[in-house]
Amino acid sequence: MHIAILTMTFSLPGCGSLKEKRQRMGGMHERFGRNPAVAVCESGEHNRHDASEWSFVVAAASRREVESQCSQIEDKIQRTVEARIIKVTRELL
């Protein structure tokens, strides 16, 4: 079993409230949490309306599968989330 923790930090320029932040970042659980190999949560910047941090725990039988899933998550987020990605870290366990 191979496990990775993918953490992404976002800037939300022009976001004026926590409600707007939820609207812009909403759906992360639904989009990625459906996959039984992925756990997702907002892991930081909870009280800031102009920033957000999300972590994804990915588990698979091989390191290649884990890395592929992390890349797919990053690609999909870049296409679908109305935010600027500030930082991405991957930790393989």
Side-chain angles (χ1 to χ4, degrees), residues 63-90:
R63 180 181 173 140
R64 190 177 107 193
E65 288 176 82
V66 167
E67 290 178 348
S68 174
Q69 185 66 42
C70 287
S71 294
Q72 289 175 24
I73 291 168
E74 285 183 56
D75 292 342
K76 188 168 186 177
I77 286 174
Q78 287 178 346
R79 291 190 318 269
T80 61
V81 175
E82 288 183 54
R84 192 175 301 148
I85 299 170
I86 301 298
K87 183 179 176 186
V88 177
T89 59
R90 283 189 197 184

Side-chain angles (χ1 to χ4, degrees), residues 5-90:
I5 300 172
L6 172 65
T7 304
M8 301 181 77
T9 305
F10 302 92
S11 170
L12 297 143
C15 188
S17 68
L18 291 175
K19 182 178 179 181
E20 183 181 350
K21 174 184 174 177
R22 284 191 304 272
Q23 290 172 343
R24 288 170 84 176
M25 299 304 292
M28 294 284 258
H29 287 202
E30 290 78 27
R31 275 180 256 166
F32 302 104
R34 288 185 196 147
N35 184 336
V38 178
V40 59
C41 71
E42 185 176 14
S43 55
E45 308 295 356
H46 299 280
N47 295 321
R48 288 186 57 196
H49 58 79
D50 61 347
S52 188
E53 178 184 274
W54 286 77
S55 293
F56 304 82
V57 178
V58 180
S62 72
R63 180 181 173 140
R64 190 177 107 193
E65 288 176 82
V66 167
E67 290 178 348
S68 174
Q69 185 66 42
C70 287
S71 294
Q72 289 175 24
I73 291 168
E74 285 183 56
D75 292 342
K76 188 168 186 177
I77 286 174
Q78 287 178 346
R79 291 190 318 269
T80 61
V81 175
E82 288 183 54
R84 192 175 301 148
I85 299 170
I86 301 298
K87 183 179 176 186
V88 177
T89 59
R90 283 189 197 184

